[in-house]
């Protein structure tokens, strides 16, 4: 018995946006270099810890909103994540947050799930990269 699948696809007016994922982490060390140049090491480390904790809390709010299916409440913390990440040089994390915002505006649950997973991975890698930078 031959299995036949329809070859026609429904016509839609939905614009598809391709989100490009870089092969490796994009990290700009300059903001952290400036921070460590301007502050004593223990103060700079305390600032970084507070910023990373704030980002983790905002990411938790995003995850809770996603799990509850409340896309509207996710936009503000996502925007803040992007802005903070850009300020401290977590370029890849900021890009992923921007892509999450795109998915939220489009109300695309499938893309949002994949992009949220990417955002979470980017945060894990960013934290490791920040501490690797500090140890060098």
């Amino acid at each position: 018995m031959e299995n036949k699948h329809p070859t026609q696809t429904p016509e839609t007016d939905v614009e598809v946006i391709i989100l490009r994922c870089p092969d490796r982490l994009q990290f700009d060390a300059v903001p952290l270099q400036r921070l460590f140049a301007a502050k004593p090491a223990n103060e700079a480390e305390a600032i970084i810890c507070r910023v990373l904790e704030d980002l983790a809390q905002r990411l938790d709010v995003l995850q809770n909103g996603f799990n509850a299916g409340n896309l509207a409440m996710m936009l503000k913390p996502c925007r803040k994540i992007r802005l903070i990440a850009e300020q401290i040089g977590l370029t890849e994390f900021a890009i992923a947050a921007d892509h999450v915002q795109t998915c939220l505006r489009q109300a695309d649950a499938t893309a949002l799930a994949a992009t949220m997973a990417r955002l979470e991975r980017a945060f894990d890698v960013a934290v490791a990269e920040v501490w690797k930078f500090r140890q060098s």
Side-chain angles (χ1 to χ4, degrees):
M1 180 173 180
E2 188 177 343
N3 187 6
K4 293 189 177 190
H5 295 282
T7 57
Q8 295 178 335
T9 57
E11 294 284 329
T12 63
D13 291 334
V14 177
E15 179 182 344
V16 175
I17 296 176
I18 298 172
L19 305 176
R20 306 229 182 263
C21 300
D23 293 338
R24 60 186 179 86
L25 176 71
Q26 295 182 39
F27 174 69
D28 179 7
V30 173
L32 294 180
Q33 290 169 343
R34 287 183 185 145
L35 176 64
F36 278 94
K39 304 277 185 192
N42 62 340
E43 194 175 323
E45 286 179 6
I47 291 169
I48 290 171
C49 285
R50 283 193 304 271
V51 168
L52 291 176
E53 183 177 330
D54 181 57
L55 287 170
Q57 289 172 349
R58 291 176 193 277
L59 185 56
D60 190 50
V61 169
L62 278 182
Q63 292 165 331
N64 291 337
F66 178 71
N67 292 336
N70 188 347
L71 304 185
M73 65 84 57
M74 295 174 67
L75 274 169
K76 185 176 180 180
C78 191
R79 186 172 32 253
K80 289 294 281 184
I81 285 172
R82 183 181 54 80
L83 293 172
I84 293 167
E86 286 174 346
Q87 289 176 348
I88 64 169
L90 304 179
T91 309
E92 177 64 23
F93 190 51
I95 291 168
D98 185 55
H99 291 171
V100 168
Q101 285 180 279
T102 299
C103 295
L104 288 168
R105 285 191 296 271
Q106 293 177 342
D108 185 339
T110 303
L112 180 60
T115 310
M116 281 291 296
R118 180 173 149 233
L119 182 67
E120 292 165 10
R121 286 190 310 272
F123 181 70
D124 292 342
V125 173
V127 170
E129 194 67 29
V130 166
W131 293 119
K132 185 170 46 170
F133 163 81
R134 179 56 191 118
Q135 293 171 351
S136 58

